[in-house]
Every structure is written in structure tokens, then in C-alpha cells.
Amino acid sequence: MTLQKGLDIYSIRNQFPILAREVKGKPLVYLDNAATSQKPTVVIDALTEYYAGFNANIHRGIHTLAEEATAAFEATRETARQFIGASSTEEIIFTRGTTEGINLVASSWGRANLKPGDEIIISTLEHHSNIVPWQMIAAEKGALLKVVPVTDEGEFIYEAFEHLLSAKTKFVSLVHASNALGVINPVKKVIDAAHAVGALVLIDGAQSSVHLDINVQELDCDFFAFSGHKVYGPTGVGILFGKRAVLEAMNPYQGGGEMIREVSFSGTTFNDLPYKFEAGTPNIADVIALKAAFDFITGLGKAAIAQHEHTLLTYASSQLKEIPGLRIIGDVENKVSVISFILDGIHPQDIGILLDNQGIAVRTGHHCTQPLMHRLGISGTSRASFAVYNTIEEIDALVIGLFKVKKMLS
Ligand SMILES: Cc1ncc(COP(=O)(O)O)c(C=O)c1O
């Protein structure tokens, strides 16, 4: 394949030990990156180094190990701040992932601020984790959930959003890039319009954070949530950015150690940001290793990664369209490197199983976006999603694999 200027994909692949394995006797072709990305050696090593070298609980200890662990933990916060362009580390809260970030905001902000008749706007493209927490808090507070429709290609209809927006709108929670289709939403326009009516905005960055340059100050979003495991980092850790003034006005999400300043039986005062939102012993090892993932991405350069992924996306789209009976869902210009497709008369699950027999990992089903699938009139799709280590040869393998699937099942 053509190597992108500045990126040697083969040497990048060598940094991911799992890519050397075989599945069903065939070389692994991993095209399920939107579900979770693989981990480079630097991330895996960071986990081992922490457990083997300076495992200790953080913040309260005065011994050497505790100090080393605290320093490494807080170093990730600073790197995360830079990664998304936040102005201060007080605005960076460690969570378990995107899901926990959204739940934190829905319950903490929502419980204190929503009242009967208030409206929350989401879109048809949302992952279940950006639907259900809002349904729960809306039901609790008597608020209403409004949903922005999409076109037949899954594009957010901005005019419909403007139509839904009113003085009743208190919160807008929107996915940046759809995990099911890859389409990118016009988040900046949405944020500005929502602010004009006094509403706050959360951006679900689970899929965008790995592909797009993120600057939360330029976006001017009030919250931005994403997961470590989709940015080449470990599972079980994520970041919630919140604007300092908004976070300061919010109540803690959970009570416990670490988030307090003073506890007595007559009452408790809470710790400063960001610790107010980090009750209990956090996921120290995975937070520490997440720094290695951010450094890995920054070291390669997001622009160079995006260019490579764009080449893969363009090539894959054109090749897949050569397969008779294959339809790409969400075939739009402005998208991240995710391709969802259906094959006439063949169930996505059968496609997934038969590709797996050839060593090719794709995701099939509703992708935790059942309302979107319902809107598009399908039960699910097959989805190939690309990361920096994928190659043109792997796309060729997918296309050959799909021709075989067709031959077997038609
Ligand atoms: C767009 C989107 N939002 C939210 C999530 C939830 O992320 P997590 O399961 O890491 O909390 C995902 C995961 O697939 C996603 O793709």
C-alpha cells in the first residue's frame, strides 16, 4: 500500500502485539475499532510498570510509592487537558467512560436544574448511553425529551433542531460522530444556537475523540465525554470535561472518600474540583496508562492519522460499492472512518460469523442505536471501522471475504 507521508503503517502495526495473532488460522484483520481500539505496547507496558514498580493508592499517602503514583495519575489529567484543549485540569474528571460521564451530568446537573415542562434535546443518531440517562432524569423531573430527526442517510436535520429549540430547552446532548454510521454532526452550530436560548450542551465524543482534533474551548461546549478504550487506551477509564463554572455549581455525583473536605455527623463539605466528582479509589492503573495512549496519538499527529484513515475510508467505500447488492448506510461526505452496510437478503449476523471464519472482525447488529435503526427501517448493519494501523490490504481482504459470503449464501 501507499505509505502516508510521515506515517509508516507497518512500523505502527508492530507496536500492537495483538495484530500479529491469527484467528481461525488466518491473520487477524481487525475492523471493529469503533467498538474498541487495540492497544499499543506503550499502553500495555504502562500498566505493568505501575503494578510492578509503584502500585499505591493516590493523593493521601506521604510515602514514595504514593507520591509516584499520584504524580503519574495527575500527569494523565494534564495530558488529557491538552488533548482536548481545556483551559484547566480542574475541568478534567476521570470517569469509567463516556457512559458514566453522561450519567454523571444527567443525574447531577439534571436533578438540580430540571423542572416539569423543561425540555432536553437529543438526536435520532444517539447511542443508547446518550438516550437512556436523559429518559431517566426526564421521567424523574417531569421534563420532556425532544429528538432531532435525521435524513434517510442518517444526517442530522439542522432546521428541525432549530425548530425544536426554544426557551423551554434547558439541555442539548448530542453525539459528535455517530458510532453506527460515522456521520459527523454540526456540533459547533448546535452549541452556539443552544447557548443563544440559554441551554447547556454536552457533546458525546466517544467516536470523535480518536479521529478529530478536539478543542473544547473553541467548540465552547459545556461538557465533553469520551472513553479511553476507543483512543488506544485501556478499558474502564474515560474523561468528562466540564466548564469550571458549571461544574462548580453542580452537586457531587457520588459520595465517599476523596470527594470531601470535612466530614462530621452534622454535615459534610465537598472537595474542590475535580476531586468533588471522583469519589473513592479511582482506576489508578488505567488512568496512568491512558497517558501513554494520548502520547501515542499526539506523537503520530492527529492530522496524519486522519489523512490515513480518510484514504482507507475512501478506498473501502469505493470497493464495497462494487459488490452487487451491497448498500452503504450513511454514505455522506462528512464522516469518520466507519462504514455501515447491508447486503441484500443476507442477515448481518451471518456476515459477521462468516467473516470471522476468515479472520476478519467486524461488528454486526444495532450498534446500541436501536431508535436510529428503527428510523432507517433496518434491524441492523454490518460495520467496518478503521484505525491508524489498518491497511489497504485489509480492506481488500474484507471485500474478498464479502464476495465469499455472498457466494456461500446466495
Ligand atoms: C457514540 C458513542 N457514545 C457512547 C458510547 C459508550 O461508550 P462506553 O461504553 O465506553 O461508555 C459509545 C460506545 O460505543 C459510542 O460509540
Side-chain angles (χ1 to χ4, degrees):
M1 67 167 294
T2 346
L3 296 179
Q4 293 301 312
K5 210 168 152 224
L7 279 194
D8 177 349
I9 302 305
Y10 296 101
S11 90
I12 290 171
R13 287 182 71 80
N14 286 338
Q15 299 174 45
F16 288 80
I18 206 170
L19 298 179
R21 72 161 281 183
E22 293 190 339
V23 166
K24 311 266 163 76
K26 310 273 171 22
L28 167 66
V29 174
Y30 186 78
L31 302 177
D32 194 18
N33 296 286
T36 198
S37 56
Q38 297 302 344
K39 321 302 172 200
T41 308
V42 281
V43 169
I44 301 165
D45 285 352
L47 290 169
T48 315
E49 280 159 20
Y50 164 70
Y51 283 124
F54 54 102
N55 174 51
N57 210 333
I58 54 166
H59 291 146
R60 291 168 301 267
I62 47 148
H63 59 79
T64 301
L65 297 191
E67 280 175 3
E68 287 175 11
T70 303
F73 183 89
E74 291 301 327
T76 302
R77 206 186 298 276
E78 168 57 19
T79 308
R81 181 195 72 71
Q82 292 170 19
F83 191 74
I84 57 168
S87 64
S88 132
T89 49
E90 292 165 340
E91 298 180 319
I92 303 293
I93 297 159
F94 290 120
T95 61
R96 277 196 302 125
T98 312
T99 304
E100 192 178 47
I102 297 170
N103 275 278
L104 186 161
V105 176
S107 41
S108 177
W109 186 90
R111 195 160 288 138
N113 291 287
L114 291 171
K115 51 182 195 325
D118 282 348
E119 294 179 359
I120 303 159
I121 300 181
I122 58 171
S123 84
T124 309
L125 285 155
E126 304 312 319
H127 188 280
H128 296 163
S129 64
N130 200 24
I131 301 174
V132 185
W134 298 111
Q135 284 176 329
M136 287 163 63
I137 198 68
E140 187 182 317
K141 303 297 292 186
L144 296 167
L145 199 57
K146 301 272 167 169
V147 184
V148 181
V150 292
T151 65
D152 291 345
E153 278 303 327
E155 283 176 300
F156 182 89
I157 303 176
Y158 185 77
E159 297 67 35
F161 165 69
E162 275 186 314
H163 195 69
L164 289 177
L165 200 61
S166 76
K168 288 188 196 154
T169 312
K170 292 294 174 299
F171 206 96
V172 177
S173 197
L174 182 65
V175 68
H176 198 171
S178 156
N179 63 305
L181 307 181
V183 301
I184 298 173
N185 280 332
V187 288
K188 180 61 185 151
K189 257 169 89 175
V190 166
I191 292 164
D192 292 346
H195 284 169
V197 300
L200 298 191
V201 184
L202 180 146
I203 300 299
D204 169 353
Q207 296 296 332
S208 62
S209 46
V210 70
H211 301 294
L212 308 176
D213 234 343
I214 305 295
N215 186 306
V216 290
Q217 291 185 77
E218 277 168 21
L219 282 175
D220 197 26
C221 53
D222 301 282
F223 300 99
F224 187 94
F226 67 107
S227 304
H229 70 96
K230 294 184 198 280
V231 294
Y232 307 106
T235 52
V237 58
I239 303 286
L240 174 69
F241 157 83
K243 278 185 185 163
R244 183 205 295 251
V246 180
L247 290 175
E248 264 165 1
M250 278 162 58
N251 282 324
Y253 175 48
Q254 293 179 328
E258 199 73 15
M259 49 73 73
I260 53 92
R261 189 192 307 284
E262 205 67 64
V263 180
S264 75
F265 287 119
S266 56
T268 291
T269 50
F270 303 129
N271 205 340
D272 294 331
L273 291 176
Y275 310 111
K276 182 170 104 176
F277 292 101
E278 293 178 358
T281 300
N283 186 352
I284 304 168
D286 293 312
V287 166
I288 289 172
L290 181 57
K291 179 178 189 312
F294 289 141
D295 290 343
F296 169 79
I297 293 176
T298 311
L300 294 177
K302 264 199 174 170
I305 297 174
Q307 195 193 346
H308 174 64
E309 289 173 346
H310 184 73
T311 306
L312 296 176
L313 180 68
T314 311
Y315 181 73
S317 300
S318 71
Q319 294 302 299
L320 287 175
K321 282 178 194 165
E322 298 292 311
I323 301 174
L326 185 145
R327 180 155 72 88
I328 293 177
I329 314 286
D331 190 17
V332 300
E333 258 313 294
N334 196 19
K335 63 188 284 191
V336 295
S337 53
V338 169
I339 300 189
S340 244
F341 58 90
I342 51 176
L343 252 180
D344 259 358
I346 304 182
H347 196 281
Q349 202 172 336
D350 294 334
I351 295 176
I353 293 167
L354 293 173
L355 286 178
D356 183 57
N357 286 340
Q358 303 171 58
I360 304 168
V362 297
R363 183 131 309 227
T364 58
H366 54 64
H367 315 294
C368 294
T369 56
Q370 281 178 344
L372 174 64
M373 296 296 127
H374 186 251
R375 157 64 183 89
L376 298 173
I378 51 182
S379 63
T381 71
S382 303
R383 181 187 72 185
S385 49
F386 311 118
V388 65
Y389 41 69
N390 289 123
T391 64
I392 294 285
E393 288 91 331
E394 289 182 311
I395 291 166
D396 289 339
L398 171 68
V399 173
I400 293 167
L402 286 169
F403 270 113
K404 282 190 191 154
V405 170
K406 264 183 78 79
K407 214 166 148 196
M408 275 185 245
L409 296 183
S410 306

